[in-house]
Amino acid sequence: MTAFAPVLPLRLPLRSGRRQRRLPGRWPLLLALLAQALGGGALLAQPQASQPQGGQPQAAPAQGEAPQASRPKPYSSPEFQQILRQGSLEELALACQRVSDDDRLDRLRQLRERLLLIHPAPQPLAVVLANAEVLLRCQQPQAALTVLDRISPAAGAERVQWLLLEWRAAHAAIDHRRAAFALERLAAARPAQLEALALPLARRADGSVVSRSALELLADHQQARGFPLAAAELLLASQDPGVEGAQRRLRAVRLLQALPPQEREGLLELALDQAAAVGAWGLVAELLDAQAALPSERARQRRLRLSPRLDDAYGEWQMLGQDPAAAARRAQLEAQLRSPRSPGGHSPPPAPAGPTLPAQPVPGQSIPAQSVPAQSVPVQPPASKP
């Protein structure tokens, strides 16, 4: 596959305006297929939980009783060799999981070699995708890319599935060039449409999927490849009118260090309008700080006016700097600044000092007199002799 490292011409929209996104006729169908794939639809059937003989389900643990996790025993050497020789894709996928849990890197390498040879080319697309999926589950993303190179589907729903799996494998292998190439072909020269795609990154313990916009991920790959201008243009192509759009514009301005300060200030002004429209005042303060660093006296004054509204004494104190005319105001703000150990601060309060307990005596060892606590015992007078 040939290298693909385009540096897109930088077009900086300095005027606000929202364009309505129009998707081509086939794009909604591709989005639906991609969303179905991103929703966790596995290419391989997940193994069902085993039931005891007789078809009766196992009884649930009693209330308050912690369920016991049954971890299978490691494969014996004959069992593992039999799976390598005769195992199907489903059995090899389960073996990858068990071997990964046992931290057997030598067996993972043997599974990788077997998965590279189990279905040699040529194979139908479904077999290639399933083979690459198992290699990903086996923590072998480079081998998954090798399997995916055996086929190149034509444009359509199958190509979307293939490009999605190619991006997952390249992302796992930290291959930024190939990951960017997959997303660019998925976008079909329309970067703004990647904004509607949420690509999976991880799975939480509750089963939900952590995802990010494909537009931001493509910008990450381009920045990692050393193309900050291409990454900035992708971020500026965002059509999101809310907080995410403003955050992407702020990130783009930080990438455009060579841009004149006046043009960067104009881009931040658009982001300010977006953040203020939805009441994201924390982001507004961050944008004003970025403007004031250009430097911009207007942004500095606006930041000072915003600080009381945000109850941001520290931000205002920093913004005033060493201005002699603001010495009195700085003193007032310093009095408002809270120590981390004060009530409400972020440092935990010190542990209360408890009573010092006497040391426990060791059997056979005499106890010094000063170590025995004094007790208030009434002293009885000696009995008089008859």
Side-chain angles (χ1 to χ4, degrees), residues 201-226:
L201 295 178
R203 188 178 294 275
R204 299 187 181 95
D206 59 358
S208 60
V209 178
V210 180
S211 60
R212 283 184 66 197
S213 167
L215 183 73
E216 295 180 354
L217 290 170
L218 179 54
D220 290 346
H221 295 311
Q222 295 288 35
Q223 183 179 358
R225 297 173 64 199

Side-chain angles (χ1 to χ4, degrees), residues 3-19:
F4 187 78
V7 180
L8 303 177
L10 187 61
R11 297 183 296 274
L12 301 175
L14 296 183
R15 295 183 179 181
S16 60
R18 300 174 183 171
R19 295 174 293 178

Side-chain angles (χ1 to χ4, degrees), residues 123-308:
Q123 294 290 338
L125 177 65
V127 176
V128 173
L129 294 181
N131 198 350
E133 179 73 29
V134 175
L135 281 166
L136 276 180
R137 294 167 60 180
C138 210
Q139 304 176 20
Q140 304 295 328
Q142 287 289 357
L145 291 172
T146 301
V147 170
L148 290 172
D149 282 339
R150 297 172 180 173
I151 196 170
S152 180
E158 292 182 342
R159 186 172 181 83
V160 171
Q161 298 176 7
W162 180 74
L163 287 173
L164 171 62
L165 199 54
E166 183 185 23
W167 174 81
R168 287 175 54 199
H171 182 72
I174 320 179
D175 189 343
H176 295 290
R177 182 198 65 83
R178 185 152 181 181
F181 193 21
L183 292 181
E184 285 171 340
R185 289 189 291 176
L186 190 62
R190 291 180 293 272
Q193 297 185 16
L194 289 175
E195 193 172 14
L197 303 180
L199 297 181
L201 295 178
R203 188 178 294 275
R204 299 187 181 95
D206 59 358
S208 60
V209 178
V210 180
S211 60
R212 283 184 66 197
S213 167
L215 183 73
E216 295 180 354
L217 290 170
L218 179 54
D220 290 346
H221 295 311
Q222 295 288 35
Q223 183 179 358
R225 297 173 64 199
F227 300 140
L229 297 183
E233 184 177 8
L234 285 166
L235 295 169
L236 292 176
S238 173
Q239 300 295 314
D240 192 314
V243 175
E244 291 185 357
Q247 289 175 339
R248 290 165 188 160
R249 196 172 296 274
L250 173 60
R251 180 185 168 192
V253 171
R254 288 172 174 167
L255 291 172
L256 298 173
Q257 295 297 324
L259 201 66
Q262 296 81 4
E263 297 188 22
R264 280 187 286 165
E265 185 176 1
L267 292 172
L268 289 173
E269 195 68 27
L270 296 178
L272 275 168
D273 294 340
Q274 291 177 307
V278 295
W281 301 115
L283 180 58
V284 168
E286 187 177 359
L287 290 165
L288 286 174
D289 289 341
Q291 271 192 340
L294 290 177
S296 170
E297 182 61 25
R298 183 184 66 165
R300 179 176 176 274
Q301 295 299 328
R302 291 163 68 186
R303 179 67 173 87
L304 290 174
R305 291 194 300 269
L306 182 64
S307 295

Side-chain angles (χ1 to χ4, degrees), residues 382-386:
S384 58
K385 297 182 180 181

Side-chain angles (χ1 to χ4, degrees), residues 62-79:
Q63 187 175 4
E65 179 183 351
Q68 298 180 355
S70 58
R71 183 175 178 179
K73 296 181 180 179
Y75 288 115
S76 64
S77 182
E79 290 175 338

